[in-house]
């Protein structure tokens, strides 16, 4: 589910597939009119592309300090991306590339004349002959990829939330519930095509532009706009392409026992587990504690693997076998676009699963939603991954630095009114401070 927003949390910051070209103040010019942009740039774009000044053409997951472009360019081809970058450079226009708009970073400052390159139209999904590789467009939606893969008898190591742009999530690092078997998101990428800051189209692979190959897998948005990639796929017959997963809810007084049980799990490669603090919704907005275990395999094996958390004594258990094309169904609510969501992330070592710390986090959450009914949609989500495969692949293969960090947490205050920003940020800062007090890490690894 965190993978809905992120790679670790570094992944999340890259979800926009962003490349900013900042305009020095000395070069600032009056904003061009939309008609001028459509005339001057439009003739360089392919049929089916479009240019508008309507921000709804590129909606954002969060309305908290989002980029506010003057222009949206909806591209259809790689050449459109390159042409737009060159146009922006020539006219001193700041720009940002966006896939599905799920990034929560609040530093996308485009100025008054900025432009968003919406690459959602680059949505190709094309499998190789043996279904063990696929050519993926820079704007390919996870949901489309999953559906295509399941029908083709294969699967990807993809983020949980299907509303994400696949490459935006993967290029920042890429945490997925299959990483115990297949490694991190960056380990799935075999080659890419990228538009550089100068508007040049470049192919990058282990044998071509090797310095850039290392850099883009973990820090891609700093080096260009990835327009397509060849990625790994894993042929799996439909009958075997299943996992056991679902919501298991617990009473408040079971929290410490649940956290201890999760800490004590022998997390095998086919396993992963999330836990969530949320509310029941209006009118009562009762705080809830939910575990979401995940096991690639059948229910009998899964229940043995997760016996310690089942023994804690849940209120309800909805876990069951689910086909690959529905693994992300339970996370659909996280895909809601709009509202203000100044998200706060923290990453932890296994030591971070300290029952007293999580009791403090939960009480902090309960107090916040009780005092602020306008923020009753607020949630805290933690994900615990087996990292053996990612660690074995090693840091020398890419610029992603957090392969050995198993737990990633995000707090998402959610509300409508801008005037509530200060209170939400104060709460999020305190949440992160509590977690970092026992995170078990030598340095911040978010």
């Amino acid at each position: 589910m965190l993978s809905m927003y992120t790679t670790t949390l570094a992944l999340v910051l890259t979800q926009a597939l962003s490349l900013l070209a900042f305009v020095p103040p000395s070069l600032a010019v009056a904003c061009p009119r939309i008609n001028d942009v459509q005339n001057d740039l439009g003739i360089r774009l392919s049929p089916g592309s479009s240019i508008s000044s309507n921000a709804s053409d590129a909606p954002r997951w969060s309305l908290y300090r989002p980029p506010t472009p003057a222009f949206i360019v909806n591209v259809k081809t790689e050449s459109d991306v390159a042409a737009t970058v060159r146009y922006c450079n020539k006219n001193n226009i700041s720009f940002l590339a966006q896939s599905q708009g799920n990034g929560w970073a609040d530093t996308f400052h485009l100025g008054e004349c900025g432009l968003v390159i919406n690459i959602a139209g680059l949505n190709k999904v094309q499998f190789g002959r043996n279904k063990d590789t696929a050519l993926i467009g820079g704007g390919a939606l996870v949901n489309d990829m999953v559906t295509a893969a399941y029908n083709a008898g294969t699967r990807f190591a993809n983020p949980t939330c299907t509303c994400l742009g696949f490459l935006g999530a993967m290029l920042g690092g890429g945490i997925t519930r299959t990483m115990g078997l297949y490694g991190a998101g960056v380990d799935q990428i075999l080659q890419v095509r990228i538009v550089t800051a100068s508007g040049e189209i470049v192919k990058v692979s282990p044998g071509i532009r090797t310095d850039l190959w290392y850099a883009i897998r973990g820090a891609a948005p700093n080096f260009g706009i990835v327009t397509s990639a060849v990625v790994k796929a894993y042929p799996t017959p439909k009958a075997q392409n299943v996992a056991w997963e679902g919501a298991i809810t617990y009473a408040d007084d079971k929290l410490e026992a649940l956290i201890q049980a999760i800490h004590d799990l022998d997390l095998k490669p086919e396993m992963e587990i999330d836990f969530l603090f949320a509310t029941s919704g209006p009118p009562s907005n009762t705080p809830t504690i939910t575990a979401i275990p995940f096991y690639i395999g059948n229910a009998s094996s899964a229940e043995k693997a997760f016996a310690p958390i089942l023994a804690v004594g849940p209120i309800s258990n909805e876990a069951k076998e689910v086909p690959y094309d529905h693994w992300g169904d339970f996370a659909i609510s996280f895909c809601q676009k709009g509202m203000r969501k100044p998200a706060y992330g923290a990453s932890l070592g296994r030591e971070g699963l300290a029952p007293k710390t999580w009791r403090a986090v939960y009480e902090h959450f309960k107090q916040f939603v009780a005092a602020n009914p306008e923020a009753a949609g607020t949630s805290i989500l933690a994900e615990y991954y087996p990292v053996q495969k990612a660690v074995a692949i090693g840091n020398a293969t890419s610029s992603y630095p957090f392969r050995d960090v198993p737990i990633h947490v995000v707090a998402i205050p959610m509300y409508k009114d801008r005037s509530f920003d200060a209170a939400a940020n104060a709460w999020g800062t305190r949440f992160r401070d509590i977690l970092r007090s026992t995170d078990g890490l030598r340095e911040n690894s978010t």
Side-chain angles (χ1 to χ4, degrees), residues 22-161:
F22 293 102
V23 181
S26 60
L27 297 179
V29 295
C31 294
R33 296 177 301 173
I34 181 63
N35 289 344
D36 293 335
V37 177
Q38 289 171 332
N39 291 333
D40 297 344
L41 176 57
I43 61 173
R44 297 171 172 82
L45 303 180
S46 65
S49 61
S50 64
I51 303 171
S52 80
S53 56
N54 186 350
S56 65
D57 284 353
R60 302 291 301 184
W61 173 74
S62 173
L63 299 182
Y64 176 77
R65 300 183 66 184
T68 53
F71 313 106
I72 312 289
V73 179
N74 302 298
V75 300
K76 288 295 183 181
T77 69
E78 176 182 76
S79 296
D80 292 342
V81 178
T84 304
V85 169
R86 292 193 294 268
Y87 173 83
C88 289
N89 288 337
K90 180 180 178 180
N91 292 279
N92 298 316
I93 295 174
S94 300
F95 61 93
L96 165 74
Q98 173 177 312
S99 174
Q100 302 300 324
N102 291 300
W104 67 47
D106 59 7
T107 55
F108 299 140
H109 305 310
L110 290 172
E112 294 182 2
C113 307
L115 179 151
V116 160
I117 305 173
N118 180 14
I119 65 170
L122 305 181
N123 56 4
K124 176 184 289 187
V125 180
Q126 180 179 323
F127 291 100
R129 177 176 299 178
N130 297 322
K131 307 295 191 299
D132 58 356
T133 64
L135 174 63
I136 302 301
L141 188 67
V142 170
N143 184 66
D144 294 341
M145 293 177 58
V146 166
T147 300
Y150 184 68
N151 290 334
T154 190
R155 68 179 172 222
F156 296 105
N158 56 268
T160 303
C161 292

Side-chain angles (χ1 to χ4, degrees), residues 4 18 67 72 99 133 144 152 158 164 168-169 178 201-203 214 238 253 266 279 302 316 323 338 389 409 423 438:
M4 153 179 189
S18 56
I72 312 289
S99 174
T133 64
D144 294 341
N158 56 268
L164 299 182
T178 58
I201 298 172
V202 177
K203 180 180 177 179
Y214 173 86
K238 282 188 176 181
D253 63 358
D266 182 14
T279 75
S316 64
K389 179 71 171 181
V409 191
T438 59

Side-chain angles (χ1 to χ4, degrees), residues 395-406:
N395 286 334
T397 61
S398 73
S399 59
Y400 176 60
F402 302 131
R403 291 176 175 273
D404 61 340
V405 179

Side-chain angles (χ1 to χ4, degrees), residues 200-289:
E200 178 186 8
I201 298 172
V202 177
K203 180 180 177 179
V204 184
S205 71
I208 304 173
R209 305 289 291 266
T210 55
D211 55 343
L212 196 52
W213 175 246
Y214 173 86
I216 63 170
R217 290 173 307 118
N222 297 305
F223 297 93
I225 303 171
V226 174
T227 54
S228 67
V230 177
V231 301
K232 297 176 183 177
Y234 302 89
T236 309
K238 282 188 176 181
Q240 300 171 26
N241 209 353
V242 299
W244 179 87
E245 67 172 21
I248 303 177
T249 59
Y250 295 84
D252 283 20
D253 63 358
K254 298 289 187 180
L255 177 61
E256 285 85 353
L258 174 63
I259 298 299
Q260 189 63 53
I262 293 174
H263 173 278
D264 294 343
L265 282 173
D266 182 14
L267 212 59
K268 300 296 186 182
E270 61 272 18
M271 299 168 66
E272 187 269 342
I273 186 168
D274 305 340
F275 57 95
L276 172 70
F277 300 158
T279 75
S280 60
S284 65
N285 295 321
T286 304
T288 60
I289 300 170

